Amino acid sequence: MTKTTDQIGADNGEAAVTTAGRESGAALTRDQKLELYYYMRLTRSLEERLVNLYRQTKVVGGLFRSLGQEADAVGSAYALDRGKGDILSPLIRNLGSMLVQGALPLEILRQYMAKGDSPTRGRELNIHYGDLVRGFIGQISQLGDMVPVMAGVTLSFKMRGEDRVGLVYVGDGATSTGAFHEGINFAAVQRCPLVVVVENNGYAYSTPLSKQTAARELKDKAIGYGIAAETADGNDVIATYEATKRAVNRARSGGGVTLVELHTYRRKGHAEHDNQSYVPAGEIDRWESSNDPIDRYIKVLITAGVDASELAAIDARITEEIDRATDEADASPMPEPTDALVGIYADPPVEQPLWFREGVRAAVEVNERPASWGTHDG
Amino acid sequence: MAEITYLEAIREALFEEMERDPNVFCLGEDIGAYGGAFKVTEGLQARFGESRVIDTPISEIAIIGAAAGAAHMGMRPVCEMQFIDFISCGYDMLTNYVATARYRAMLPCPMVVRGPSGGYVRGGPFHSQNPEAAFLHTPGLKMVYPSTAADAKGLMKAAIRDEDCVLFFEHKYLYRRIKEEMPSGDHVTPIGKARIAREGNDVSIITYAATVWKSLEAAEQLEREDGLSVEVVDLRSLAPMDDAAIAATVRKTNRALIVHEDTRTGGVAGEITSRINELAFEWLDAPILRVTAADVPLPYSPPLEDYVLPQAADIVKAVRRLAAY
């Protein structure tokens, strides 16, 4: 069902309407198409800003890029209906999907800078946070675990007769986990309104797909679970949107789980420290020069009659937004050390400080923090 | 009111909570039409339907993970582990996802994971385990392990109503061996509060679950044969642990024996010993002793199992040693 870029556009989308139903890219309004561009560009620009902050050591911990994968995150999330209360759970390269659901650059920046007023109050890193009201649930680092969790979220939709759909992202690597298998199988049996997006970007950390699975295509796994499958070119935002939309519609109409495999490519390392020594020479350059999802989409929009100046205006708006958010995040306070003891349980709400910490604010001064953290930075 | 067994008390609690709150639902392997391996959920599906009493695939990760997702959305899931030995298959989901959800993501996770636990039943290494020590180490989880039918009911109701995840261990040796009349009305036993199972002045036994009964048996023998007054404290909850009750009994008798059925090294007794050390060291007249299982996978054959698990005679011996100080 994948289409080439040339087929996507204001005029040439007619065929898709008949084959893929009324929710095809052609059904998107001009404003919606520009909105897709906005979210893709916002994802990339925000991450570029984070790289700057990382180099200034203002980012605490590792930095995870989705360079080259912005279309698959944005296009798939855009297929959900926020008005109906749809919920997604992103993976580490799905910043774009969170932005679509209403996550704010300021929140992302505060998260990456470990600030006290970040959504997790400094308890969790990077884009590991969520908001049920806006419709995204934060991931954990154990890959595949969000599949069973989202099976349960969507089970609750079914039990309560709610007209809501859930979407969970996994990478090619996570398809090897037990949690992925158990979660997707459970959801399939229960016919939960769940879309499982497998973002196949070629690598799980340094491990190529060929060492991850003997399956010819990841979408083939759907057969074993007795569920539907869709595939799309994940670097084509409209194709991604359309494939996911079919899956969302299927889920909403009682058709159960769909596995959506999106083909894309991870142009940066697992995290910023990763030198990608394991990538064959020329591979990254090839994707960058000929298959960048934003470059491709710009061509589509220009062909459809959007003026370059209009896109430049969006870019300028994004820069301004990110500048403002950066200043605000920079000025945000670090957490109060004793907040570490709050909220492990509803009852008791606070843990008692250990006797050797009573009356002490913290072992380190408020502004002292490690230059790097944990395994991500080595 | 008629007496009911420990197992029936758990079923009664599930039934009443499902009647009371439409958000409560059960999920697990073979719990529906079949009523569960031990028949704890028997009759629930007939009463509440397949959507609220869900037969799942053999997937502990999915059972626990899906319960967490549903709990985020306001449901109150009760997961059955067919045997608690299989909870280790969902260890990652419990410790990494569920236990941290409130803290790291402000996501409430009100759910119960329950299942038949413990030995003395010739169940062998994979149908006799006591998993509490593996989870005592994880902040964010609560744990209860009742020894009486009334507490089984009251703690189950409290667990279902709790705003966080509660691991509810049911001792399968006690399922059909003990029965009592239930307290009238909406009987809820608070989590985190120990119970004095027997008052005494000379030596304290701190224990929980099936070894409460072994300890009571030993206490009677010690009174009869040695004239010793032994206090037996039934912890009921392991997380949070009732520090006040532990300190109070040690201050009263100045001698403490900790008894549990689980293996020795890294067991709950070590934690209780540390707490006594921190809370009541000055009150001790004797070293803290423990009677536990030996550090072996639990064997199946009766002479082997009986040798490994704590027996009343072991407890008698340990109390006599404490009383001699």
Side-chain angles (χ1 to χ4, degrees):
Chain A
M1 302 299 288
T2 344
K3 286 185 290 295
T4 65
T5 13
D6 296 340
Q7 286 176 284
I8 313 295
D11 302 319
N12 296 337
E14 291 303 319
V17 176
T18 50
T19 55
R22 58 193 168 78
E23 298 293 350
S24 71
L28 289 171
T29 64
R30 189 175 188 280
D31 281 353
Q32 287 175 314
K33 286 178 178 169
L34 288 175
E35 203 174 24
L36 286 172
Y37 173 78
Y38 165 79
Y39 285 124
M40 287 166 66
R41 176 62 75 190
L42 178 60
T43 305
R44 182 166 297 182
S45 299
L46 182 53
E47 289 185 359
E48 283 167 354
R49 175 59 51 87
L50 284 163
V51 171
N52 292 340
L53 293 167
Y54 180 85
R55 289 177 183 157
Q56 295 169 39
T57 71
K58 286 182 175 175
V59 163
V60 180
L63 171 59
F64 298 84
R65 298 290 309 276
S66 64
L67 182 67
Q69 299 182 225
E70 296 91 345
D72 85 60
V74 169
S76 51
Y78 207 76
L80 292 174
D81 190 336
R82 283 184 64 195
K84 286 187 190 294
D86 292 350
I87 292 185
L88 62 78
S89 179
L91 206 66
I92 200 67
R93 309 208 194 276
N94 302 118
L95 168 61
S97 75
M98 295 167 68
L99 296 170
V100 170
Q101 292 293 90
L104 303 171
L106 177 59
E107 294 171 332
I108 308 290
L109 289 159
R110 282 175 172 157
Q111 276 291 116
Y112 264 111
M113 295 162 89
K115 297 292 192 170
D117 53 2
S118 69
T120 67
R121 310 212 307 259
R123 285 125 189 256
E124 249 284 43
L125 303 96
N126 54 60
I127 65 168
H128 286 203
Y129 78 97
D131 180 359
L132 287 178
V133 176
R134 282 176 286 178
F136 56 104
I137 292 181
Q139 66 198 290
I140 66 170
S141 303
Q142 284 69 18
L143 297 176
D145 277 17
M146 298 313 293
V147 181
V149 172
M150 288 304 292
V153 166
T154 52
L155 179 70
S156 82
F157 297 163
K158 196 187 98 173
M159 291 174 84
R160 289 171 160 170
E162 295 172 336
D163 187 27
R164 302 167 77 179
V165 169
L167 185 154
V168 61
Y169 292 92
V170 293
D172 39 286
T175 63
S176 304
T177 67
F180 169 82
H181 164 71
E182 289 197 13
I184 201 166
N185 182 58
F186 179 99
V189 171
Q190 287 294 325
R191 291 185 79 79
C192 294
L194 179 65
V195 178
V196 180
V197 172
V198 179
E199 191 180 32
N200 181 357
N201 66 11
Y203 292 91
Y205 210 136
S206 72
T207 306
L209 187 65
S210 60
K211 292 202 169 119
Q212 198 67 242
T213 178
R216 277 176 47 232
E217 287 191 83
L218 292 172
K219 78 163 172 51
D220 290 346
K221 291 180 183 250
I223 299 166
Y225 298 114
I227 59 173
E230 302 278 352
T231 56
D233 175 354
N235 283 18
D236 177 339
V237 70
I238 300 289
T240 295
Y241 165 80
E242 287 176 337
T244 314
K245 193 73 186 177
R246 287 192 293 276
V248 168
N249 289 347
R250 185 176 296 121
R252 208 183 304 283
S253 61
V257 182
T258 304
L259 189 159
V260 180
E261 182 182 5
L262 300 175
H263 296 276
T264 183
Y265 184 78
R266 196 191 76 198
R267 277 166 37 201
K268 300 296 284 186
H270 171 65
E272 203 59 15
H273 69 274
D274 174 359
N275 66 9
Q276 295 175 282
S277 55
Y278 46 86
V279 177
E283 190 178 273
I284 297 168
D285 292 343
R286 220 164 33 246
W287 280 85
E288 181 177 1
S289 59
S290 64
N291 203 348
D292 179 82
I294 295 182
D295 290 350
R296 279 176 63 180
Y297 193 46
I298 289 172
K299 281 184 198 153
V300 171
L301 292 172
I302 301 286
T303 308
V306 174
D307 197 274
S309 66
E310 210 170 340
L311 300 180
I314 292 173
D315 293 355
R317 174 156 68 93
I318 287 170
T319 304
E320 193 193 324
E321 244 181 281
I322 293 174
D323 283 347
R324 205 168 46 235
T326 305
D327 290 344
E328 209 172 326
D330 209 14
S332 282
M334 294 304 277
E336 279 296 314
T338 50
D339 188 51
L341 300 177
V342 176
I344 295 94
Y345 300 95
D347 177 30
V350 185
E351 294 300 305
Q352 291 308 305
L354 298 171
W355 67 270
F356 48 84
R357 282 286 162 78
E358 275 170 6
V360 180
R361 279 194 68 220
V364 294
E365 288 303 311
V366 175
N367 293 318
E368 181 187 328
R369 23 178 191 127
S372 72
W373 169 89
T375 56
H376 296 302
D377 281 345
Chain B
M1 210 183 282
E3 291 187 334
I4 60 171
T5 64
Y6 181 97
L7 182 146
E8 288 162 341
I10 295 165
R11 184 192 297 143
E12 199 167 275
L14 293 173
F15 198 94
E16 287 178 16
E17 290 305 292
M18 289 184 77
E19 287 282 5
R20 183 187 62 79
D21 181 353
N23 292 314
V24 179
F25 73 101
C26 295
L27 69 170
E29 297 154 16
D30 308 296
I31 67 165
Y34 186 66
F38 286 88
K39 306 292 180 191
V40 173
T41 55
E42 190 165 55
L44 288 182
Q45 194 178 69
R47 172 67 186 83
F48 298 104
E50 284 184 30
S51 68
R52 288 183 69 195
V53 184
I54 301 172
D55 280 316
T56 68
I58 305 171
S59 299
E60 284 75 17
I61 302 171
I63 293 168
I64 294 166
H72 294 338
M73 306 312 293
M75 304 297 288
R76 298 248 163 194
V78 180
C79 308
E80 175 170 309
M81 299 288 104
Q82 192 160 78
F83 284 83
I84 210 69
D85 311 58
F86 307 142
I87 199 172
S88 50
C89 303
Y91 183 79
D92 159 58
M93 196 55 84
L94 271 173
T95 56
N96 285 316
Y97 190 83
V98 172
T100 62
R102 177 179 297 282
Y103 186 70
R104 70 179 154 79
M106 293 80 197
L107 279 171
C109 222
M111 57 185 272
V112 177
V113 181
R114 49 158 290 267
S117 317
Y120 301 105
V121 295
R122 318 319 186 190
F126 308 115
H127 291 74
S128 308
Q129 290 174 15
N130 290 285
E132 62 270 21
F135 296 100
L136 187 66
H137 189 63
T138 304
L141 298 175
K142 294 185 176 182
M143 271 195 296
V144 298
Y145 204 165
S147 72
T148 70
D151 282 347
K153 179 174 180 183
L155 284 169
M156 178 56 82
K157 289 171 84 91
I160 290 171
R161 296 179 195 189
D162 201 277
E163 295 302 324
D164 291 295
C165 176
V166 180
L167 307 186
F168 190 98
F169 303 133
E170 304 164 4
H171 205 293
K172 69 174 85 68
Y173 180 84
L174 302 178
Y175 265 160
R176 293 181 170 87
R177 283 183 172 85
I178 57 172
K179 53 164 55 180
E180 65 182 308
E181 228 175 76
M182 290 298 108
S184 58
D186 188 27
H187 169 54
V188 181
T189 306
I191 292 172
K193 294 279 177 237
R195 169 183 79 97
I196 306 293
R198 178 189 171 103
E199 298 248 16
N201 298 310
D202 297 333
V203 176
S204 295
I205 300 176
I206 299 162
T207 184
Y208 55 92
T211 46
V212 168
W213 298 95
K214 301 280 181 199
S215 300
L216 289 171
E217 193 186 327
E220 275 171 35
Q221 186 187 338
L222 287 158
E223 182 171 48
R224 208 167 51 238
E225 297 177 6
D226 302 50
L228 281 172
S229 167
V230 177
E231 180 147 296
V232 178
V233 177
D234 174 3
L235 287 176
R236 302 195 288 195
S237 293
L238 301 174
M241 205 176 270
D242 192 343
D243 286 349
I246 293 169
T249 193
V250 172
R251 285 172 189 184
K252 183 178 174 187
T253 68
N254 317 114
R255 288 169 174 80
L257 171 68
I258 304 158
V259 180
H260 63 57
E261 185 188 320
D262 191 14
T263 47
R264 192 172 189 82
T265 303
V268 172
E271 175 60 29
I272 297 171
T273 303
S274 266
R275 290 183 188 219
I276 295 172
N277 184 40
E278 287 163 353
L279 296 167
F281 177 76
E282 295 84 353
W283 298 80
L284 287 171
D285 287 342
I288 302 159
L289 295 185
R290 52 187 170 156
V291 168
T292 66
D295 282 338
V296 299
L298 194 64
Y300 150 65
S301 182
L304 299 177
E305 187 186 38
D306 291 345
Y307 179 76
V308 169
L309 289 183
Q311 306 296 342
D314 306 320
I315 300 168
V316 167
K317 199 182 280 184
V319 170
R320 282 179 178 152
R321 189 172 147 196
L322 279 179
Y325 274 90

